[in-house]
Amino acid sequence: MTADTLQIEIQPTSQSRLQDVDFNNLVFGRNISDHMFIAEYRGGQWQDLRIVPYGDLSLSPATAALHYGQAIFEGMKAYKNEEGEVLLFRAIDNWKRLNKSAERLCMPSIPEDVFMNGLLELLRLDSGWVPSQPGCSLYIRPYMFATDPYIGVKPSDSYYFIIFTSPVGTYYAKPPRVKVETHFIRAAEGGVGGTKCAGNYAGSLYPAKLAQEEGYDQLIWTDAREHAYIEESGTMNIMFLIDGKLVTPYVSETTLDGITRKSIVEIAKTWGIPVEERRVSVKEIIDAAKDGTLESAFGAGTAVVISPFATIAYEGVDYALPEIKEDSFVNKVKNYLTDLRTGKVEDGFGWMTKV
Ligand code: COI
């Protein structure tokens, strides 16, 4: 079987695992769908495009990505509407961001048709894996890594691009307690913080582990020079509602250009809510928490969607944040995004693609 336009060879599984999944108790990242899309880069070209049953890869122990970290990824989501059709959220933005990461990591770009056709064919084949339960979605993980079996340090000449998917529920079971990090850093100017490369996540694990030992769920990263300005939180962008204004650190080379983040900014603007994308100091957030003008602080990302924080900790003091009210901006924008993604409200932004 082939998907005509791009010659994607399709080898369907003879044994679906779909019936083994408890869709009413989905745990983030636990279940992987039946198939994966693979493209290989060799001799300056993407080739051997195929969809095969999800399974192990055979790699040389010298595989370059395992040693020098030429590995990048994306996170995106698909939803089902009431008619059972599959809808994809802002896929083109993920494709563009992957290529931005690729450029910085000296990796080849993925042509739009390879990314989109591979993704759409995969979703057609595994459409049964897209959950329709409230709060659930199909998480999509496109990624690329260097495959040269070579241990000299240089850009690899060969790469794998793979997409697999996973039905997911909520990322955080309860609002996270987050701690402002004032020693370790996630990114520095001139580095790779603005890319979605694997090493950014590896480097965050140890500081996050230390914070967890102190009873926090995540960190708020601050700038590398002074630890005075807020950048991101854990695996997500960070946003604040202060005195009726939506305030968020601007996107820079040390922060990720989050797609959920920019969607929230666009929605807020169309709703007439004042938005400030700028440098945000730790001091002003702590002052706002103290004087009661900090209405909410939340993480925004594909995996977490919108995740209001319960507490922000800074220099040994916990600042409890107010409960999120039903009619708050946080709830309204979260519900609106869900309705948009599940086709319940019209997509005036042109963000959705029907699979
Ligand atoms: C996402 O939100 O999609 C991410 O990439 C975060 C992930 C590390 C869980």
Side-chain angles (χ1 to χ4, degrees):
M1 191 168 154
T2 53
D4 290 342
T5 40
L6 248 192
Q7 290 294 330
I8 301 175
E9 195 67 39
I10 299 177
Q11 185 197 327
T13 182
S14 55
Q15 225 172 357
S16 172
R17 290 172 283 102
L18 191 51
Q19 67 286 351
D20 304 337
V21 179
D22 179 359
F23 275 81
N24 293 314
N25 291 295
L26 289 171
V27 178
F28 190 93
R30 193 63 56 79
N31 305 287
I32 310 288
S33 316
D34 278 333
H35 298 92
M36 58 184 178
F37 170 73
I38 302 182
E40 289 183 48
Y41 185 85
R42 282 190 310 270
Q45 285 204 352
W46 287 102
Q47 50 194 286
D48 287 348
L49 278 48
R50 56 197 188 271
I51 292 176
V52 294
Y54 178 81
D56 294 348
L57 303 169
S58 170
L59 295 171
S60 158
T63 295
L66 301 179
H67 301 263
Y68 307 123
Q70 262 192 305
I72 55 175
F73 69 97
E74 280 298 314
M76 51 205 294
K77 278 183 173 169
Y79 301 78
K80 255 190 191 151
N81 65 14
E82 270 165 3
E83 289 73 48
E85 294 166 314
V86 177
L87 304 174
L88 193 51
F89 182 68
R90 304 198 74 165
I92 290 293
D93 294 81
N94 287 95
W95 164 69
K96 286 185 184 155
R97 194 173 62 180
L98 185 80
N99 280 341
K100 198 178 141 214
S101 300
E103 186 180 4
R104 178 65 181 83
L105 274 281
C106 221
M107 300 164 84
S109 61
I110 290 274
E112 181 178 345
D113 58 350
V114 173
F115 186 96
M116 285 307 294
N117 291 7
L119 176 59
L120 292 172
E121 284 303 328
L122 181 67
L123 291 179
R124 282 180 197 123
L125 197 59
D126 279 343
S127 61
W129 287 79
V130 185
S132 46
Q133 286 76 0
C136 297
S137 56
L138 188 76
Y139 187 79
I140 302 166
R141 172 50 57 85
Y143 65 111
M144 192 203 296
F145 63 95
T147 52
D148 275 7
Y150 176 70
I151 54 168
V153 179
K154 70 165 194 62
S156 181
D157 291 322
S158 60
Y159 296 85
Y160 266 22
F161 172 66
I162 299 181
I163 310 176
F164 66 80
T165 69
S166 167
V168 296
T170 45
Y171 194 83
Y172 286 115
K174 59 180 181 40
R177 289 162 47 76
V178 297
K179 180 191 149 189
V180 178
E181 178 58 61
T182 52
H183 174 66
F184 296 102
I185 61 160
R186 176 188 169 276
E189 278 151 31
V192 291
T195 73
K196 223 163 158 54
C197 72
N200 284 341
Y201 295 79
S204 75
L205 297 177
Y206 181 66
K209 175 177 157 258
L210 296 184
Q212 278 153 17
E213 284 166 7
E214 290 177 57
Y216 301 104
D217 303 296
Q218 256 311 345
L219 293 172
I220 293 180
W221 296 108
T222 50
D223 70 285
R225 281 176 207 267
E226 301 173 72
H227 292 296
Y229 296 95
I230 290 178
E231 305 224 304
E232 296 190 5
S233 177
T235 57
M236 50 206 171
N237 293 111
I238 189 164
M239 307 183 113
F240 303 94
L241 217 67
I242 306 173
D243 238 352
K245 282 181 295 196
L246 181 66
V247 178
T248 186
Y250 52 38
V251 171
S252 68
E253 59 180 350
T254 57
T255 51
L256 198 71
D257 188 3
I259 291 161
T260 309
R261 175 199 173 281
K262 71 178 172 195
S263 305
I264 296 169
V265 165
E266 284 178 62
I267 293 167
K269 284 182 180 166
T270 63
W271 288 354
I273 291 171
V275 178
E276 293 181 8
E277 295 181 80
R278 57 171 170 80
R279 274 190 122 186
V280 179
S281 72
V282 178
K283 183 176 181 312
E284 70 173 294
I285 297 305
I286 298 304
D287 286 348
K290 283 184 188 160
D291 69 21
T293 50
L294 181 61
E295 294 159 36
S296 54
F298 57 97
T302 300
V304 298
V305 190
I306 292 177
S307 179
F309 302 149
T311 307
I312 295 182
Y314 180 57
E315 291 184 335
V317 182
D318 282 1
Y319 298 89
L321 297 174
E323 290 242 324
I324 303 292
K325 298 204 187 80
E326 202 46 49
D327 63 347
S328 65
F329 171 76
V330 175
N331 267 342
K332 277 201 221 151
V333 78
K334 190 170 177 180
N335 293 339
Y336 181 77
L337 266 176
T338 303
D339 289 349
L340 190 77
R341 289 158 155 175
T342 52
K344 291 199 187 89
V345 295
E346 204 190 319
D347 172 23
F349 295 98
W351 289 340
M352 305 306 298
T353 306
K354 203 177 274 183
V355 174

